[in-house]
Amino acid sequence: MACLFSAKIFTIFPEMFPGPLGVSLVGRALQNNIWSLEAVNLRDYANDKHRSVDDTAFGGGPGMVLRPDIIDAALMAHYRTRPNTLIYLSPRGIPLTQEYVKKLANQSHLGLLCGRFEGIDQRVLDAWHIEEVSLGDFILSGGEVAAMALLDAVVRLLPGVLGEQESLNEESFTENLLEYPQYTRPRNWKGHLVPEILLSGHHEKIKAWRKAESEKLTRERRVDLWQRYKAAQQERKD
Ligand SMILES: C[S@@+](CC[C@H](N)C(=O)[O-])C[C@H]1O[C@@H](n2cnc3c(N)ncnc32)[C@H](O)[C@@H]1O
């Protein structure tokens, strides 16, 4: 199969890749050339004998900052022009959502920049119009784990990666709902029974039960999603 999607990761720890992206569904897709991955070592673009990529922050404060000239040299070496999607994984970025992941899965290439220390000099982010994307409201020690999470979410949406396209349509966040509870064998586990309806073979009733469970979970756990779900329902009615 022809490669549908390529990713380049700009990092000072290229040895972290493919890591978890090399196993299971996403790893098999990598081996089958459905997507490709290149980890670029930012230190290859350093210009001193210590291969340094960072320096102290102007204005003071603790920690080091990744230098703009080094990042720029790495990007210039890999792109003649700015790629459509160039992302800096950053806690200041827009929060990653399934909707955004779907958009990324329609691209043919993704450039991902991983910060370390206190982050990256602002000027290179501005000069290359780099989007900032966050994994959530917490601080990781580097962008690599965030890049892996983002790529895992994107690659599983590529055609041919998941066996059953069906399962994509019923996942959490589709239509702003969380997924209903799942059950498998044994039917009776330590006295805990599988809900009767799921054993009935009545497809319409099962569908209705799952929808009701999805709604209940979303209402209880995620007020933000629940409000969006209700608003979308109202819009359809109007
Ligand atoms: C220690 S953090 C720097 C945090 C930065 N000083 C701040 O307060 O915003 C080092 C790097 O980890 C990555 N990182 C940390 N938290 C992240 C998050 N929630 N989402 C995505 N990337 C994150 C970024 O690439 C960041 O440059």
Side-chain angles (χ1 to χ4, degrees):
M1 186 182 279
C3 187
L4 301 171
F5 174 84
S6 66
K8 274 188 211 275
I9 323 274
F10 297 85
T11 168
I12 60 169
F13 294 115
E15 65 276 20
M16 287 176 75
F17 294 89
L21 298 173
V23 297
S24 190
L25 281 175
V26 169
R28 214 172 307 129
L30 188 60
Q31 282 142 30
N32 292 341
N33 202 35
I34 292 178
W35 71 293
S36 70
L37 173 68
E38 183 184 356
V40 176
N41 191 348
L42 289 170
R43 290 198 190 280
D44 291 346
Y45 300 89
N47 42 34
D48 63 351
K49 68 173 189 297
H50 301 295
R51 304 178 84 207
S52 41
V53 290
D54 56 327
D55 212 325
T56 52
F58 281 123
M64 306 296 275
V65 177
L66 287 169
R67 285 170 44 158
D69 52 337
I70 311 289
I71 308 266
D72 183 59
L75 293 174
M76 291 282 278
H78 286 265
Y79 299 122
R80 251 179 277 150
T81 55
R82 183 189 173 281
N84 266 350
T85 317
L86 193 51
I87 289 174
Y88 166 40
L89 283 313
S90 153
R92 302 182 315 194
I94 55 155
L96 186 62
T97 61
Q98 189 63 14
E99 203 182 333
Y100 190 72
V101 165
K102 279 185 194 159
K103 264 201 239 164
L104 296 180
N106 285 320
Q107 306 285 324
S108 56
H109 178 77
L110 211 55
L112 299 175
L113 190 50
C114 302
R116 280 272 156 182
F117 320 120
E118 288 309 313
I120 293 178
D121 185 292
Q122 187 62 40
R123 291 166 295 174
V124 73
L125 301 176
D126 294 341
W128 280 82
H129 303 288
I130 297 175
E131 287 172 57
E132 295 189 39
V133 173
S134 167
L135 214 60
D137 291 344
F138 45 83
I139 305 293
L140 297 164
S141 51
E144 291 78 7
V145 169
M148 285 173 193
L150 182 147
L151 279 175
D152 182 276
V154 169
V155 170
R156 64 190 289 284
L157 297 187
L158 300 177
V161 175
L162 275 190
E164 263 194 71
Q165 277 311 101
E166 272 292 290
S167 56
L168 284 177
N169 301 332
E170 294 201 358
E171 283 183 330
S172 291
F173 310 118
T174 317
E175 289 186 49
N176 294 310
L177 285 177
L178 299 178
E179 199 186 54
Y180 45 80
Q182 301 275 13
Y183 299 88
T184 184
R185 291 193 177 76
R187 286 179 183 208
N188 181 344
W189 175 69
K190 294 183 171 178
H192 302 281
L193 301 179
V194 171
E196 266 306 312
I197 185 80
L198 299 179
L199 310 175
S200 68
H202 197 301
H203 296 302
E204 281 311 306
K205 282 188 183 161
I206 292 173
K207 205 169 157 196
W209 180 87
R210 285 179 163 167
K211 179 86 179 280
E213 288 292 312
S214 277
E215 290 183 341
K216 181 166 161 272
L217 275 178
T218 311
R219 200 171 53 239
E220 286 170 0
R221 294 186 183 179
R222 290 288 301 271
V223 180
D224 56 329
L225 281 183
W226 180 246
Q227 281 167 350
R228 265 185 268 159
Y229 173 67
K230 294 305 280 180
Q233 268 189 333
Q234 189 57 46
E235 233 171 73
R236 258 180 259 138
K237 273 189 212 154
D238 294 342

